Amino acid sequence: MSKGKGYRRPRALSPLREHLRDTFWFAPTAAMVLIFALWVGTNDADSAIVQALQDHQEFDAVDDLIRIVNDAKPVINTVSSAMMTFIGVVFSISLVAVQMASGQFTPRVVRIFVRSRITKLTFAVFLATFTLSLLVLTSFESETDPRLVTTVPFLQTVLTLLLVALSLFLFIAYVNSTLRLMRVGHVVDRITGEALRVVDKMPRGDLGGTGLGPEIARVGYSGQGGVLRDVNIARLVRAAQRQGVVLRLIPRIGDFVVPGTPLLSVHGSDEGKVPSRGALRYTASVGVERTFHQDLGFGLRQLSDIALRALSPAVNDPTTAVQCLDRIVQLLTALAPRPLGAVGHPDGKGEVRLVQDVPDWADLVDLAFAEIRLCAVGNPQVTRRIMAGLDDLLGLVPEPRREPLLRHRELLAQAVELTVPEAAERAFALEPDRQGIG
């Protein structure tokens, strides 16, 4: 088999990069280390400036610098005393807002906040400003004689004031970002955008009708239990090529695996050998929750969760469910022309060495509509939007992919007929409408 036009081997997930994206400590720590280095540099520069002015008998200039920094010292004192309190109040309120958003939508939206670059940048600059203000205060001298003073923290004061100004601008951007996180339209747009990037980067290899051969062994997973987030395609292909076998990934990306779970099946002739444990080491990346990396169903899962939460009796917000259905139809439209199911990853000679299962079309349609359809009965706004979405997809997908859509359309019609007694109400609930009830 040739690699085929459009085949792209997926980039391996970096566990370190994912860890840093999922944690809040790295950016603030790096910012404080960087600001300490800047303070050391500016402190030395201030000392060098004062020494140069004294060497040239420019004592009036030194006296001017002393007056300038003494005028700015109250500002530095205020910043150092108020910044930490400001940080605590702002982020406490923000965390409450995020908790409310996760309760209204789904706990999975918290990852948007945790991975937000503007949030981490704001927190890092706030802490850096607080740290610098404390360091600058240690540079002030009690000596006021321009002939005897050894340093005047002029550059340090300027740097502190610039960081204060940057903190104010970032605070505005951070508040705007947090408020957008509480809006359902922005949340579903972020989820859809990430899901579409996954669709665009999904592997496009195929098996080319080649059989895998008989299964000669299975390799179990060894490691901590968790969600399978990624496998190292390149390493697995090389291991299979060296042994002259074909490997098949048994769980899908997003499945929960525990030690002993069959991870790979080995296929080949009698001459083929099972790759060693060393060759398969570090080929599976497992984490505590699903990520968008190679996970086609994760975006649909989150959109479905938000819609289900909106349709619950406690929330009763069918308009939010309609917004989720808009994006669900958008994702399925992007997936409709693409090959789904098993994907073959070839080696350098074009021979398939790794087979990876991805959700097929029926699985994705079920994920998109099954649960929402069951909860939508009794909400004509949602049922009308589902009918319109199914009709739109039926006009776009090829003939082999129409069956799951027709099945959900029929099941929705049957559920409405059983639940709604009036014929006029049933007809209204099943009339396609892209706005639900426009």
Side-chain angles (χ1 to χ4, degrees):
M1 167 197 166
S2 62
K3 288 187 178 183
K5 183 178 179 181
Y7 172 78
R8 293 173 294 176
R9 181 173 291 173
R11 176 179 57 86
L13 182 70
S14 170
L16 176 61
R17 182 171 178 268
E18 285 298 302
H19 173 71
L20 295 180
R21 292 184 68 187
D22 286 334
T23 56
F24 231 74
W25 64 267
F26 178 73
T29 303
M32 288 189 290
V33 172
L34 177 62
I35 209 65
F36 180 80
L38 285 175
W39 172 75
V40 171
T42 52
N43 187 41
D44 292 342
D46 283 328
S47 299
I49 291 172
V50 171
Q51 185 64 47
L53 291 174
Q54 290 173 341
D55 291 343
H56 290 82
Q57 304 295 313
E58 298 287 345
F59 298 115
D60 290 340
V62 176
D63 189 58
D64 291 339
L65 291 178
I66 293 174
R67 288 200 303 270
I68 292 173
V69 298
N70 284 337
D71 290 340
K73 187 176 181 180
V75 177
I76 306 299
N77 273 315
T78 302
V79 171
S80 63
S81 61
M83 184 58 73
M84 187 54 69
T85 303
F86 180 66
I87 292 172
V89 172
V90 169
F91 278 87
S92 296
I93 296 174
S94 300
L95 290 175
V96 172
V98 171
Q99 185 178 12
M100 293 175 60
S102 67
Q104 181 180 358
F105 304 137
T106 171
R108 260 65 64 189
V109 302
V110 176
R111 68 185 299 275
I112 299 177
F113 177 81
V114 173
R115 291 183 169 224
S116 170
R117 291 188 178 93
I118 186 65
T119 300
K120 293 179 180 179
L121 179 61
T122 304
F123 193 36
V125 172
F126 281 7
L127 287 179
T129 304
F130 171 72
T131 303
L132 181 61
S133 64
L134 295 181
L135 293 172
V136 171
L137 288 175
T138 64
S139 299
F140 283 91
E141 294 184 359
S142 58
E143 181 61 61
T144 58
D145 190 341
R147 294 173 175 81
L148 301 177
V149 70
T150 59
T151 184
V152 178
F154 175 74
L155 294 179
Q156 301 172 59
T157 300
V158 172
L159 180 60
T160 304
L161 295 178
L162 289 176
L163 277 180
V164 170
L166 179 60
S167 297
L168 294 176
F169 283 111
L170 285 177
F171 172 67
I172 296 172
Y174 172 72
V175 171
N176 178 66
S177 176
T178 303
L179 291 176
R180 292 179 70 190
L181 179 62
M182 300 177 66
R183 295 165 53 191
V184 63
H186 174 69
V187 172
V188 298
D189 181 68
R190 284 282 300 272
I191 294 172
T192 305
E194 291 193 62
L196 287 173
R197 284 191 288 272
V198 176
V199 173
D200 183 61
K201 295 178 181 178
M202 66 179 290
R204 299 179 184 179
D206 58 75
L207 299 180
T210 305
L212 296 179
E215 181 179 319
I216 59 177
R218 286 196 171 191
V219 178
Y221 169 71
S222 59
Q224 295 183 346
V227 176
L228 182 64
R229 302 184 301 181
D230 178 55
V231 290
N232 193 314
I233 303 296
R235 187 186 292 268
L236 288 173
V237 168
R238 287 195 300 267
Q241 184 181 20
R242 283 195 294 266
Q243 302 300 332
V245 296
V246 178
L247 300 176
R248 186 184 187 100
L249 182 65
I250 298 175
R252 290 177 180 173
I253 301 297
D255 287 356
F256 192 89
V257 295
V258 297
T261 299
L263 182 66
L264 296 165
S265 60
V266 185
H267 300 261
S269 61
D270 295 336
E271 292 79 12
K273 297 181 181 179
V274 179
S276 64
R277 288 285 181 180
L280 299 178
R281 187 178 301 171
Y282 307 123
T283 55
S285 174
V286 172
V288 296
E289 63 180 357
R290 295 169 69 175
T291 69
F292 275 100
H293 187 77
Q294 294 189 41
D295 195 340
L296 283 179
F298 190 42
L300 289 173
R301 178 70 274 164
Q302 291 185 79
L303 293 173
S304 178
D305 285 346
I306 296 174
L308 292 173
R309 184 71 61 92
L311 291 174
S312 66
V315 178
N316 193 22
D317 182 14
T319 302
T320 293
V322 168
Q323 289 181 277
C324 293
L325 285 166
D326 293 339
R327 299 299 186 164
I328 286 173
V329 173
Q330 180 184 359
L331 282 176
L332 290 178
T333 301
L335 287 164
R338 295 178 177 267
L340 298 170
V343 174
H345 299 282
D347 58 16
K349 298 179 180 179
E351 297 183 18
V352 171
R353 293 299 180 182
L354 175 67
V355 176
Q356 178 184 3
D357 285 333
V358 297
D360 60 24
W361 176 252
D363 294 332
L364 294 172
V365 171
D366 289 341
L367 175 58
F369 291 112
E371 295 171 302
I372 300 177
R373 173 175 52 77
L374 291 173
C375 295
V377 179
N379 282 288
Q381 182 180 357
V382 183
T383 58
R384 288 160 65 94
R385 182 63 186 96
I386 293 176
M387 294 297 288
L390 291 172
D391 287 350
D392 290 340
L393 290 169
L394 284 168
L396 294 172
V397 301
E399 185 63 32
R401 293 189 172 180
R402 292 172 58 88
E403 189 278 329
L405 300 171
L406 293 172
R407 172 165 52 85
H408 281 283
R409 198 177 191 283
E410 180 62 26
L411 289 173
L412 178 61
Q414 292 177 2
V416 171
E417 288 178 2
L418 292 174
T419 306
V420 181
E422 296 293 333
E425 292 291 342
R426 289 198 300 268
F428 179 78
L430 294 176
E431 181 180 350
D433 187 341
R434 291 190 181 91
Q435 295 186 23
I437 300 178

